[in-house]
Amino acid sequence: MLKPRRKPQKVYPNADRYGEDGRRLYSAYDGATVARRSGSQVWVRRIRLATITLAIIAAILAVIVISALPH
């Protein structure tokens, strides 16, 4: 018979903060760094840069269209 697979264990960022006696080595308020934050910050920067670029292009196109209209 096939055995069901074990669920993948979660990787807790503060898992290494307990000593051999089970007591905490650090305060719970000292948050460990999470790798996902830096990735999301990169995406936020890219989206912000894309938004600024699109706004500049829209402004340039508006100036071109307005200047091309007959007076």
Side-chain angles (χ1 to χ4, degrees):
M1 259 173 80
L2 295 174
K3 293 183 180 180
R5 289 186 187 180
R6 287 184 63 192
K7 291 184 179 178
Q9 298 294 320
K10 292 183 180 179
V11 178
Y12 293 102
N14 293 326
D16 61 338
R17 293 178 178 245
Y18 293 95
E20 294 178 5
D21 57 353
R23 294 185 178 186
R24 289 180 188 244
L25 297 175
Y26 303 99
S27 169
Y29 295 103
D30 297 333
T33 57
V34 180
R36 291 183 186 175
R37 289 184 184 170
S38 63
S40 66
Q41 288 177 353
V42 170
W43 280 107
V44 168
R45 289 180 186 165
R46 287 181 183 175
I47 291 172
R48 193 175 296 159
L49 180 64
T51 304
I52 292 170
T53 305
L54 288 174
I56 292 171
I57 291 172
I60 292 171
L61 288 175
V63 169
I64 291 172
V65 168
I66 291 173
S67 65
L69 291 174
H71 289 78

